Amino acid sequence: MPGLTAPSDYAEEPPRHPALRINSKEPFNAEPHRSALVSSYITPVDFFYKRNHGPIPKVDDISRYSVSISGLVNKHIQLSMDDIRMLPKYNVTATLQCAGNKRTAMSKVRKVRGVGWDVSALGNATWGGAKLSDVLELVGIHKLSSVTSLGGKHVEFVSVDRCKEEKGGPYKASIPLKQATDPDADVLLAYEMNGETINRDHGYPLRVVVPGVIGARSVKWLDSINIIKEECQGFFMQKDYKMFPPTVDWDNINWSTRRPQMDFPVQV
């Protein structure tokens, strides 16, 4: 998109703290050691876990960056960062956690696929930005709505980030419209983290923060917001992050029999 691009290689990755435990170099996935994580209630940005699916997007011209809102709404718009900053700003302290946290412990019982996270794929930060419920009012969706006049029931977030799981397409995820339009749910379009401009690893210039839900739904490097009838059909909603009984393995799995994982307890 104009102003924000996804590189094709890892030549321009941002610097990271040398104390991080690296689980994957390309794409970069890393976590702090437990002692660093528990040393502060608010996790310093340098020690907040890094979860990525490809090269980190880069802002070329912030004045050209915008987020589109379209789909099953009567009004389609483009919002610049100036537009978003004009909305009331809220600070929300919320924990994000990767759904794969403690995956290495799981593999000791039974081998599982995915990044080999230890116990620190989580972090607690104060996020600053506009509430999604305020943003959606700009396209005529009232607060506490569960369906739009055109039948939209879910809010899909599409990233600039490109990933192999989507066959080179963008990372995407969704949440129910009812959650997105609830001011008390504190869903944000965040541009600050711990009082500073959010950095590249964590979604600069704009990301979604969905408190109480697995980190996979808090989409970084936001490109567009789509109001859709059914939940997002992306890979990470339909063919990953689902819970199955022990009788299911990779040879007999039927992804359509389970709903995407959403609410998730913090594990340490």
Side-chain angles (χ1 to χ4, degrees):
M1 72 174 303
L4 178 64
T5 57
S8 60
D9 57 39
Y10 294 91
E12 298 183 87
E13 292 290 279
R16 281 97 177 201
H17 199 285
L20 289 174
R21 178 183 184 270
I22 299 174
N23 298 317
S24 168
K25 289 186 177 181
E26 296 181 355
F28 190 81
N29 289 284
E31 63 189 295
H33 291 275
R34 180 184 287 184
S35 59
L37 181 65
V38 301
S39 65
S40 174
Y41 174 69
I42 298 295
T43 308
V45 174
D46 283 347
F47 292 108
F48 206 98
Y49 77 100
K50 317 298 192 244
R51 176 66 173 115
N52 299 301
H53 298 92
I56 305 301
K58 182 179 179 182
V59 171
D60 300 313
D61 183 354
I62 192 64
S63 68
R64 299 179 64 205
Y65 170 78
S66 64
V67 174
S68 65
I69 305 179
S70 60
L72 298 175
V73 287
N74 293 312
K75 181 181 180 182
H76 296 184
I77 63 173
Q78 294 270 351
L79 294 175
S80 68
M81 283 303 302
D82 286 343
D83 294 330
I84 292 168
R85 288 179 180 274
M86 287 179 65
L87 294 169
K89 179 191 173 187
Y90 293 87
N91 290 310
V92 175
T93 299
T95 299
L96 294 186
Q97 177 179 237
C98 180
N101 195 35
K102 304 182 91 171
R103 190 173 279 140
T104 51
M106 299 177 199
S107 289
K108 292 178 181 179
V109 177
R110 185 176 178 180
K111 182 65 177 177
V112 294
R113 297 182 184 181
V115 177
W117 298 104
D118 192 32
V119 298
S120 300
L122 75 164
N124 191 46
T126 298
W127 310 93
K131 285 196 176 182
L132 182 57
S133 57
D134 288 341
V135 174
L136 293 179
E137 281 197 316
L138 299 177
V139 294
I141 303 177
H142 300 299
K143 289 182 170 64
L144 302 177
S145 296
S146 57
V147 60
T148 69
S149 61
L150 297 180
K153 296 181 179 180
H154 297 265
V155 180
E156 179 183 63
F157 310 112
V158 182
S159 176
V160 170
D161 187 23
R162 304 283 165 168
C163 48
K164 64 180 182 179
E165 294 87 354
E166 296 285 3
K167 297 180 172 57
Y171 184 95
K172 50 190 175 181
S174 67
I175 62 173
L177 182 68
K178 184 176 181 180
Q179 181 178 16
T181 59
D182 183 355
D184 292 335
D186 287 334
V187 181
L188 293 183
L189 298 190
Y191 45 81
E192 289 184 0
M193 181 179 182
N194 292 349
E196 300 180 350
T197 300
I198 204 164
N199 70 16
R200 283 181 63 201
D201 258 330
H202 296 292
Y204 178 77
L206 192 68
R207 71 169 297 163
V208 183
V209 174
V210 188
V213 170
I214 65 170
R217 315 307 177 212
S218 290
V219 174
K220 298 183 284 186
W221 312 293
L222 191 60
D223 176 43
S224 60
I225 297 172
N226 301 319
I227 311 304
I228 55 180
K229 184 176 181 179
E230 306 292 341
E231 66 193 13
C232 171
Q233 295 301 300
F235 179 91
F236 293 98
M237 288 289 291
Q238 300 303 327
K239 294 188 176 181
D240 205 349
Y241 302 128
K242 292 186 176 183
M243 301 293 287
F244 291 89
T247 54
V248 174
D249 59 33
W250 292 102
D251 296 323
N252 64 6
I253 193 168
N254 182 352
W255 291 102
S256 65
T257 61
R258 291 293 186 276
R259 300 294 304 275
Q261 193 172 3
M262 299 297 282
D263 297 353
F264 199 52
V266 172
Q267 306 175 55
V268 291

